[in-house]
């Protein structure tokens, strides 16, 4: 693959994937609302909120695959869960459909 997006790339599982999937594509596009640090040689940083459709469309554009780990993984008030896990999930799948991204690996949470 040429470009794979990893959402939630600053989290614990995202960090493992960032390192472990380094050779899966020419470029890893990394996204999170948290600090992603510096980009490695084959990485692009695409920080942003999954609840913002324009931001998500820009994240997804040009990607051959998505590893979706972004969202609230533990109990929070409803609004953060709604934004990241529900609205963010819709935005990601809709952006993938619009841009013809054929592959999404989705790690479900308790909120799914």
């Amino acid at each position: 693959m040429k470009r794979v997006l990893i959402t939630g790339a600053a989290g614990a599982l995202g960090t493992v994937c960032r390192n472990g999937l380094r050779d899966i594509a020419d470029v890893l596009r990394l996204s999170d609302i948290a600090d992603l640090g510096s980009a490695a040689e084959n990485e692009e940083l695409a920080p942003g909120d999954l609840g913002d459709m324009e931001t998500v469309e820009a994240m997804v554009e040009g990607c051959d695959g998505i590893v979706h780990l972004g969202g609230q993984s533990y109990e929070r008030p409803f609004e953060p869960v709604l934004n990241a896990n529900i609205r963010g999930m819709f935005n990601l799948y809709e952006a993938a459909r619009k841009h013809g991204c054929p592959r999404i690996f989705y790690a479900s949470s308790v909120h799914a």
Side-chain angles (χ1 to χ4, degrees), residues 4-9 13-14 17 21 29 31 49-51 56 59-60 65-72 83-93 103-109:
V4 170
L5 170 65
I6 301 175
T7 66
L13 188 53
C17 287
L21 298 177
R29 180 175 289 165
S31 178
D49 183 349
L50 292 172
V56 175
M59 285 178 198
V60 170
I66 299 169
V67 178
H68 180 46
L69 306 172
Q72 294 294 328
N83 189 63
N85 296 49
I86 299 170
R87 188 175 295 123
M89 169 68 85
F90 173 84
N91 290 346
L92 189 77
Y93 274 80
R103 300 168 192 89
I104 300 176
F105 173 82
Y106 169 57
S108 181
S109 75

Side-chain angles (χ1 to χ4, degrees), residues 36-111:
L36 291 160
S38 299
E41 186 176 316
N42 72 325
E43 295 177 341
E44 298 176 338
L45 303 184
D49 183 349
L50 292 172
D52 182 311
M53 179 58 101
E54 286 184 29
T55 298
V56 175
E57 285 193 24
M59 285 178 198
V60 170
E61 188 173 10
C63 291
D64 305 301
I66 299 169
V67 178
H68 180 46
L69 306 172
Q72 294 294 328
S73 62
Y74 49 91
E75 290 304 318
R76 299 289 252 186
F78 182 68
E79 188 56 39
V81 172
L82 172 66
N83 189 63
N85 296 49
I86 299 170
R87 188 175 295 123
M89 169 68 85
F90 173 84
N91 290 346
L92 189 77
Y93 274 80
E94 183 63 8
R97 181 191 68 78
K98 286 180 179 178
H99 291 287
C101 181
R103 300 168 192 89
I104 300 176
F105 173 82
Y106 169 57
S108 181
S109 75
V110 68
H111 301 104

Side-chain angles (χ1 to χ4, degrees), residues 1-34:
M1 289 185 280
K2 297 221 181 270
R3 181 173 281 107
V4 170
L5 170 65
I6 301 175
T7 66
L13 188 53
T15 300
V16 170
C17 287
R18 183 177 180 174
N19 295 322
L21 298 177
R22 190 169 312 279
D23 296 329
I24 198 170
D26 295 340
V27 176
L28 291 181
R29 180 175 289 165
L30 308 173
S31 178
D32 208 309
I33 59 171

